[in-house]
Amino acid sequence: NAMFDVKEAHLAFKRSSSEPAIDSGMPTLRRFIRPSDWDRMEKMFDIVTNLPPSEVQQRCTFRHPMLFRLPGESRSYLCSRQTSVYLAGEVVPDEPVHFWMNFS
């Protein structure tokens, strides 16, 4: 019955249908984030996406608690004391933008 802390977790999902509909069962970041925190997340993505090329490796950090829903648990949340977002690659017009996120 020992309890172990989770130091790092990587989540990967595979789409089971080609339909882009929100009810296709594919998880979205918006479903993981507490609804009242979503506006903050969108602002963080906006800031990081619009950084000048010389600052592309900069992170946008929110230093206040933010809650994230546990996958598979509709009412359970993890609390992040600090959340950082940064680009996972180049921003290419008309292509999807990918981000790295760090919750600590």
Side-chain angles (χ1 to χ4, degrees):
N1 287 2
M3 298 283 287
F4 297 98
D5 292 341
V6 175
K7 183 176 179 182
E8 184 172 294
H10 295 263
L11 303 175
F13 302 95
K14 184 175 179 181
R15 183 177 292 280
S16 59
S17 90
S18 60
E19 292 182 34
I22 194 132
D23 59 351
S24 68
M26 187 67 176
T28 65
L29 183 59
R30 190 169 188 151
R31 286 184 181 174
F32 285 120
I33 294 173
R34 181 175 62 171
S36 60
D37 289 336
W38 182 247
D39 286 342
R40 285 185 242 170
M41 288 304 303
E42 281 189 315
K43 286 178 188 168
M44 291 171 74
F45 292 134
D46 246 4
I47 291 168
V48 170
T49 304
N50 294 306
L51 286 171
S54 62
E55 298 178 22
V56 125
Q57 291 302 319
Q58 285 284 7
R59 293 181 183 201
C60 179
T61 302
F62 187 75
R63 289 181 173 85
H64 297 285
M66 198 175 278
L67 295 178
F68 298 89
R69 189 180 317 272
L70 291 170
E73 300 288 329
S74 64
R75 296 181 185 216
S76 298
Y77 288 89
L78 287 174
C79 182
S80 170
R81 292 182 307 266
Q82 178 173 298
T83 304
S84 298
V85 173
Y86 58 103
L87 288 171
E90 258 184 63
V91 176
V92 178
D94 301 322
E95 293 290 326
V97 178
H98 299 277
F99 301 93
W100 287 103
M101 297 179 70
N102 184 358
F103 312 116
S104 57

